[in-house]
Amino acid sequence: MEWVDGLNASIGYIENHLTEEIAFAALAKLACCSTFHYQRMFAYMAGVPLSEYIRRRRMSLAAADLQAGEKVMDVALRYGYQSPTAFNRAFQAVHGAAPSAVRDGGVVVKSYPPLHFTITVKGAEELEYRIEKRSPFRIVGISVPLDRDIEKNFTAVPSLWARAASDGTIPRLAALMDGQPGGLLGVSACQDSEDWRYFIAVSSSQDAGAFEEYTVPAATWAVFPGAGTNRSLQDLERRVVMEWFPASGYEYGSAPDVEVYLNPDPENAQYEVWIPVIKKA
């Protein structure tokens, strides 16, 4: 099954389970990748985080149910909200109106139809990359735990970088760097079999001291060089998902994503994006 077929299969699963708790791991299994990679791929393809898409679909159906005259509490419970306050907050965030007002009629609401993914061929802008096979390598640094819903991590990672920049962590890490890949590393260690964490680290064989240690497993990596700001790095990652993967003959492998900052200046960075890959069967 092609990965776009897997994405569409996951959309069908969502539609069939909107009144139930939806396990992100089940969706990732349909797309043949990890839960972390599935959420990143979904967000890049859909332009909205997975959890927000599910919330919008539920609130679209909830609005129709309320317009049909159903009670607010019955609708709230149907879509997984035990608290009327939580349902009211979620509903207003999507529709800009209270559920009770929609039930009374005459209120404009929004409809978000189910997604369907297709591959669109765009302009032939080049995308440089290389394939590298690497043995396991040890990193030392600092980390922050990540939630399995990556939408909830949008502040955790920037906050960690801000702290590392302000308290002297970055130069202390640079002094320990003696391995490859060289540079300051941002490592998303988010395999389904482990607790999710994000590391700011360096590859090192030296004593970690007060820093944490983590071993990145052996893997084959697709490495994409880039330059610019943090936003340009996100644009590069988006292009990898939307342009490179569909025709590459590769799919996501089972290892962390790694960002290598060769020059960590946030406004003029030189970086590489390392994506674990395996050849399609």
Side-chain angles (χ1 to χ4, degrees), residues 16-130:
N16 292 329
H17 296 80
L18 284 171
T19 58
E20 307 167 24
E21 183 176 352
I22 297 175
F24 290 0
L27 302 176
K29 185 176 181 180
L30 289 170
C32 300
C33 61
S34 71
T35 305
F36 175 77
H37 285 135
Y38 173 81
Q39 290 185 72
R40 294 190 72 180
M41 181 167 58
F42 184 97
Y44 286 139
M45 293 287 290
V48 64
L50 173 62
S51 55
E52 176 62 20
Y53 170 76
I54 294 173
R55 185 160 45 246
R56 290 180 181 182
R57 285 295 300 136
R58 284 174 170 155
M59 293 304 101
S60 292
L61 298 183
D65 293 344
L66 291 168
Q67 289 171 328
E70 295 194 37
K71 295 179 179 179
V72 172
M73 194 61 212
D74 291 344
V75 176
L77 291 171
R78 179 176 301 131
Y79 295 104
Y81 292 86
Q82 302 299 319
S83 162
T85 301
F87 177 66
N88 185 73
R89 186 184 304 114
F91 192 90
Q92 290 207 52
V94 172
H95 296 291
S100 56
V102 172
R103 186 176 183 275
D104 291 340
V107 175
V108 175
V109 295
K110 299 175 183 177
S111 176
Y112 293 93
L115 287 173
H116 181 78
F117 294 104
T118 59
I119 296 176
T120 301
V121 178
K122 297 184 177 181
E125 183 181 352
E126 67 181 22
L127 186 61
E128 295 181 347
Y129 75 97
R130 67 182 188 272

Side-chain angles (χ1 to χ4, degrees), residues 17-258:
H17 296 80
L18 284 171
T19 58
E20 307 167 24
E21 183 176 352
I22 297 175
F24 290 0
L27 302 176
K29 185 176 181 180
L30 289 170
C32 300
C33 61
S34 71
T35 305
F36 175 77
H37 285 135
Y38 173 81
Q39 290 185 72
R40 294 190 72 180
M41 181 167 58
F42 184 97
Y44 286 139
M45 293 287 290
V48 64
L50 173 62
S51 55
E52 176 62 20
Y53 170 76
I54 294 173
R55 185 160 45 246
R56 290 180 181 182
R57 285 295 300 136
R58 284 174 170 155
M59 293 304 101
S60 292
L61 298 183
D65 293 344
L66 291 168
Q67 289 171 328
E70 295 194 37
K71 295 179 179 179
V72 172
M73 194 61 212
D74 291 344
V75 176
L77 291 171
R78 179 176 301 131
Y79 295 104
Y81 292 86
Q82 302 299 319
S83 162
T85 301
F87 177 66
N88 185 73
R89 186 184 304 114
F91 192 90
Q92 290 207 52
V94 172
H95 296 291
S100 56
V102 172
R103 186 176 183 275
D104 291 340
V107 175
V108 175
V109 295
K110 299 175 183 177
S111 176
Y112 293 93
L115 287 173
H116 181 78
F117 294 104
T118 59
I119 296 176
T120 301
V121 178
K122 297 184 177 181
E125 183 181 352
E126 67 181 22
L127 186 61
E128 295 181 347
Y129 75 97
R130 67 182 188 272
I131 299 296
E132 288 202 12
K133 292 184 178 180
R134 285 197 172 269
S135 301
F137 60 91
R138 172 181 176 265
I139 63 172
V140 297
I142 60 174
S143 76
V144 63
L146 297 180
D147 195 277
R148 296 267 169 166
D149 179 351
I150 63 175
E151 185 183 5
K152 298 179 180 178
N153 300 318
F154 289 163
T155 60
V157 172
S159 295
L160 187 67
W161 277 102
R163 175 161 64 88
S166 64
D167 67 3
T169 292
I170 290 177
R172 292 200 301 273
L173 285 174
L176 297 177
M177 181 174 59
D178 63 6
Q180 293 295 323
L184 190 62
L185 310 178
V187 179
S188 299
C190 300
Q191 299 311 293
D192 288 340
S193 60
E194 63 186 2
D195 292 335
W196 287 13
R197 301 195 73 82
Y198 179 86
F199 289 85
I200 298 174
V202 294
S203 180
S204 177
S205 62
Q206 299 188 46
D207 179 36
F211 290 121
E212 302 171 55
E213 300 180 40
Y214 179 81
T215 299
V216 177
T220 298
W221 310 86
V223 181
F224 301 85
T229 65
N230 289 338
R231 181 169 295 277
S232 70
L233 185 147
Q234 293 171 358
D235 289 340
L236 174 59
E237 292 176 337
R238 184 178 294 106
R239 288 191 64 201
V240 170
V241 169
M242 299 185 68
E243 299 175 26
W244 185 79
F245 262 116
S248 68
Y250 288 92
E251 56 191 27
Y252 278 114
S254 183
D257 283 12
V258 180

